Amino acid sequence: MNLVCLDLEGVLVPEIWIAFAEESGIEGLKKTTRDEPDYDKLMNYRLDLLREAKLGLPEIQECIAKIDPMEGAKEFLDALRRITQVVIISDTFEQFAAPLMAKLGFPTIFCNELVVDEATGAITGYKMRCENTKLTTVRALHTAGIETIAAGDSFNDIAMIEDSKAGFFFRTTEQIARDHPDIPAFETYDELLAAIRQAL
């Protein structure tokens, strides 16, 4: 059995933290997993910036409500789900992903969870599903007899891509593509869909 594993942000929807950085005016929140490979370091940096600005989950969710999937993303996902099983494996959080999943037709997503102060809405921490979430997830699928095909755009997608029977970059940075010339890199959904079809 084949299962396509897709990253969320940068592949199907715009980067949530960048959208919130633009809305809040906090430039530092534009840093993403394309820029910082150490996810714990990146998240602690983000949480420090939110604390300094006294902003929390309600403000971020207001921003997320205005975000739409990238142009052509839902059509790509619909076409892909007609030919194979698909799961989104993301380092985002349940509290961020829910409204976006509705706009994408409710695909399955494996993601993480924020720790939130219910009284103030402040984000006080986060819980990862497991260590090395994307790689650990695809390896668990492999032990269940499932072959994976993966696509993503950032540092935290590379291990998932390399451990799958086929893997692709989608709209990644020039630097990441240069550093991993063995991984095909695509810019359009039609190209990515064709590559996945061929790998099935």
Side-chain angles (χ1 to χ4, degrees), residues 7 9-11 15 31-40 42 46 89-91 132-135 150-163 168-180 183:
D7 180 32
E9 294 177 69
V11 174
E15 293 281 351
K31 186 181 285 190
T32 72
T33 51
R34 289 178 168 209
D35 312 300
E36 175 53 69
D38 185 327
Y39 192 74
D40 285 329
L42 176 63
R46 288 166 168 168
I89 304 177
S90 174
D91 279 338
N132 299 319
T133 53
K134 297 185 180 187
L135 177 60
D153 70 321
S154 298
F155 284 112
N156 64 339
D157 299 309
I158 294 168
M160 169 177 79
I161 289 169
E162 291 181 334
D163 209 65
F168 313 103
F169 285 131
F170 185 71
R171 296 181 184 170
T172 191
T173 65
E174 289 183 11
Q175 186 62 54
I176 291 175
R178 242 190 333 265
D179 290 346
H180 300 274
I183 300 175

Side-chain angles (χ1 to χ4, degrees), residues 3 8 27 30 42 55 70 154 158 173 193 197 199:
L3 183 68
L8 178 64
E27 280 296 307
K30 288 184 178 178
L42 176 63
L55 295 172
M70 291 157 63
S154 298
I158 294 168
T173 65
L193 183 62
R197 278 183 185 275

Side-chain angles (χ1 to χ4, degrees), residues 17-56:
W17 288 103
I18 290 177
F20 187 62
E22 291 171 350
E23 185 158 302
S24 66
I26 303 172
E27 280 296 307
L29 290 176
K30 288 184 178 178
K31 186 181 285 190
T32 72
T33 51
R34 289 178 168 209
D35 312 300
E36 175 53 69
D38 185 327
Y39 192 74
D40 285 329
K41 182 177 176 183
L42 176 63
M43 275 304 300
N44 286 316
Y45 169 75
R46 288 166 168 168
L47 295 185
D48 285 344
L49 289 176
L50 291 177
R51 274 191 290 271
E52 287 172 17
K54 295 182 170 53
L55 295 172

Side-chain angles (χ1 to χ4, degrees), residues 15-16 20 31-32 39 51 54 57 64-65 67 79 94 96 107 117 122 125 128 130 145 162 174 181 184 188 198:
E15 293 281 351
I16 292 167
F20 187 62
K31 186 181 285 190
T32 72
Y39 192 74
R51 274 191 290 271
K54 295 182 170 53
L57 183 60
I64 292 170
I67 296 175
E94 292 177 16
F96 288 5
D117 183 316
M128 304 298 280
C130 53
E162 291 181 334
E174 289 183 11
T188 72
Q198 190 169 3

Side-chain angles (χ1 to χ4, degrees), residues 12-141:
L12 298 171
V13 303
E15 293 281 351
I16 292 167
W17 288 103
I18 290 177
F20 187 62
E22 291 171 350
E23 185 158 302
S24 66
I26 303 172
E27 280 296 307
L29 290 176
K30 288 184 178 178
K31 186 181 285 190
T32 72
T33 51
R34 289 178 168 209
D35 312 300
E36 175 53 69
D38 185 327
Y39 192 74
D40 285 329
K41 182 177 176 183
L42 176 63
M43 275 304 300
N44 286 316
Y45 169 75
R46 288 166 168 168
L47 295 185
D48 285 344
L49 289 176
L50 291 177
R51 274 191 290 271
E52 287 172 17
K54 295 182 170 53
L55 295 172
L57 183 60
E59 291 83 5
I60 299 174
Q61 286 179 324
E62 283 178 24
C63 176
I64 292 170
K66 303 170 196 168
I67 296 175
D68 288 321
M70 291 157 63
E71 186 176 349
K74 185 175 185 302
E75 291 78 8
F76 160 75
L77 197 54
D78 288 346
L80 189 56
R81 291 167 77 188
R82 281 193 288 272
I83 60 173
T84 190
Q85 298 296 310
V86 180
V87 64
I88 297 169
I89 304 177
S90 174
D91 279 338
T92 194
F93 304 96
E94 292 177 16
Q95 295 95 328
F96 288 5
L100 297 169
M101 293 305 98
K103 293 179 180 181
L104 286 169
F106 297 102
T108 299
I109 183 169
F110 299 157
C111 59
N112 304 306
E113 185 180 355
L114 291 168
V115 180
V116 181
D117 183 316
E118 295 294 332
T120 65
I123 301 170
T124 59
Y126 58 98
K127 294 178 185 174
M128 304 298 280
R129 281 187 301 106
C130 53
E131 192 175 352
N132 299 319
T133 53
K134 297 185 180 187
L135 177 60
T136 301
T137 301
V138 296
R139 285 188 171 168
L141 291 167

